[in-house]
């Protein structure tokens, strides 16, 4: 399958955006998964709802909220631009932010479910042997929750690859800067003679999604066997 330079650019940008969004989400995903799984505090249900809200809201609404918060004149974006020189709106970094927000609930949910399945008696045993909280998490908890962590990472990456609504609302559809696979596909469907490129990008999107799901399943099974000692 021969891709045009425009299609290749959109594909590479999608991988860059999805990879960046996923990697930067992992530490936050771990923190909130641990917080929701292991701590009780006022407002816990509200925090849980806020994390999962992007799954329920129309993606366009999420994109508009990001624009209000992180746009050049947004509540947070204006300060970031004026103080740190960081700009999200209409940049690929903004596309990564939108993809991270949309994929974050899937990551947190998978990690949380895996963390809740970890036997806390094993953690307590490690603590009685002198390990501090950080060492217990790194040497006991993290390896035991590895299947859920891997599944959450891959699912978040796959969701980021397919993100459209929040991305196009927040950072528009600028070729070479914010035009990812879904937005490029949308552009081709709007012009005469775009059926061929649109079909190619559709097939690529399907292939990437299938690969992500298969890899997620394989990694989860291997991690489960590793943890169980089989």
């Amino acid at each position: 399958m021969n891709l045009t330079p425009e299609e290749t650019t959109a594909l590479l940008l999608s991988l860059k955006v999805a990879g960046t969004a996923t990697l930067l989400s992992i530490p936050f995903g771990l923190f909130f998964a641990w917080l929701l799984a292991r701590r009780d505090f006022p407002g816990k249900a509200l925090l849980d709802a806020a994390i999962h809200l992007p799954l329920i809201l129309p993606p366009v609404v999420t994109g508009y909220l990001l624009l209000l918060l992180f746009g050049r004149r947004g509540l947070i974006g204006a300060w970031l631009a004026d103080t740190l020189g960081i700009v999200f709106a209409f940049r690929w970094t903004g596309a990564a932010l939108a993809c991270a927000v949309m994929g974050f609930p899937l990551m947190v949910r998978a990690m949380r479910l895996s963390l809740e399945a970890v036997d806390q008696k094993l953690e307590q045993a490690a603590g009685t042997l002198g390990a501090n909280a950080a060492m217990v998490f790194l040497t006991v908890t993290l390896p035991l929750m590895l299947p859920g962590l891997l599944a959450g990472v891959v699912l978040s990456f796959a969701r980021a690859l397919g993100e459209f609504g929040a991305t196009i609302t927040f950072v528009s559809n600028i070729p070479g800067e914010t035009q990812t696979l879904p937005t490029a596909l949308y552009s081709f469907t709007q012009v005469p003679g775009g059926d061929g490129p649109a079909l190619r990008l559709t097939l690529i999107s399907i292939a990437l999604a299938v690969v992500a799901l298969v890899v997620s399943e394989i990694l989860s099974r291997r991690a489960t066997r590793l943890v169980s000692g089989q």
Side-chain angles (χ1 to χ4, degrees):
M1 184 184 298
N2 295 323
L3 301 179
T4 65
E6 184 179 0
E7 294 166 4
T8 302
T9 299
L11 172 60
L12 294 178
L13 183 60
S14 287
L15 294 173
K16 176 182 177 181
V17 166
T20 301
T22 303
L23 289 175
L24 294 180
S25 295
I26 292 175
F28 297 99
L30 278 171
F31 172 75
F32 283 105
W34 173 84
L35 191 64
L36 293 173
R38 296 296 175 82
R39 290 291 182 267
D40 290 318
F41 52 90
K44 179 178 178 179
L46 186 60
L47 175 62
D48 190 25
I51 290 174
H52 290 86
L53 200 58
L55 291 178
I56 308 300
L57 286 175
V60 173
V61 174
T62 302
Y64 182 63
L65 291 175
L66 288 173
L67 190 60
L68 292 178
L69 291 174
F70 293 97
R72 289 297 298 264
R73 298 181 181 179
L75 296 175
I76 301 174
W79 181 84
L80 289 174
D82 296 338
T83 306
L84 303 178
I86 298 175
V87 178
F88 286 106
F90 308 110
R91 303 282 180 88
W92 77 267
T93 51
L97 176 61
C99 290
V101 170
M102 297 302 295
F104 194 67
L106 297 175
M107 179 182 290
V108 172
R109 184 167 183 80
M111 290 180 177
R112 178 184 179 182
L113 291 175
S114 185
L115 185 57
E116 289 175 342
V118 173
D119 188 352
Q120 295 189 45
K121 293 181 181 179
L122 297 175
E123 298 172 324
Q124 294 168 1
T128 60
L129 294 175
N132 57 35
M135 285 301 298
V136 170
F137 182 79
L138 291 175
T139 60
V140 178
T141 309
L142 194 59
L144 291 176
M145 65 173 292
L146 189 59
L149 189 153
L150 293 175
V153 167
V154 176
L155 288 174
S156 178
F157 179 78
R159 179 66 184 86
L161 281 177
E163 167 51 33
F164 173 75
T167 301
I168 199 170
T169 304
F170 181 37
V171 296
S172 189
N173 185 15
I174 306 172
E177 181 65 35
T178 65
Q179 188 176 74
T180 57
L181 274 180
T183 55
L185 195 157
Y186 172 78
S187 296
F188 285 128
T189 63
Q190 304 301 304
V191 298
D195 292 343
L199 180 58
R200 286 195 294 271
L201 293 184
T202 297
L203 294 175
I204 292 173
S205 298
I206 293 173
L208 289 173
V210 171
V211 169
L213 292 174
V214 171
V215 169
S216 174
E217 183 65 20
I218 292 175
L219 289 177
S220 295
R221 288 184 179 183
R222 288 186 177 180
T224 300
R225 288 197 298 268
L226 179 64
V227 171
S228 61
Q230 298 178 358

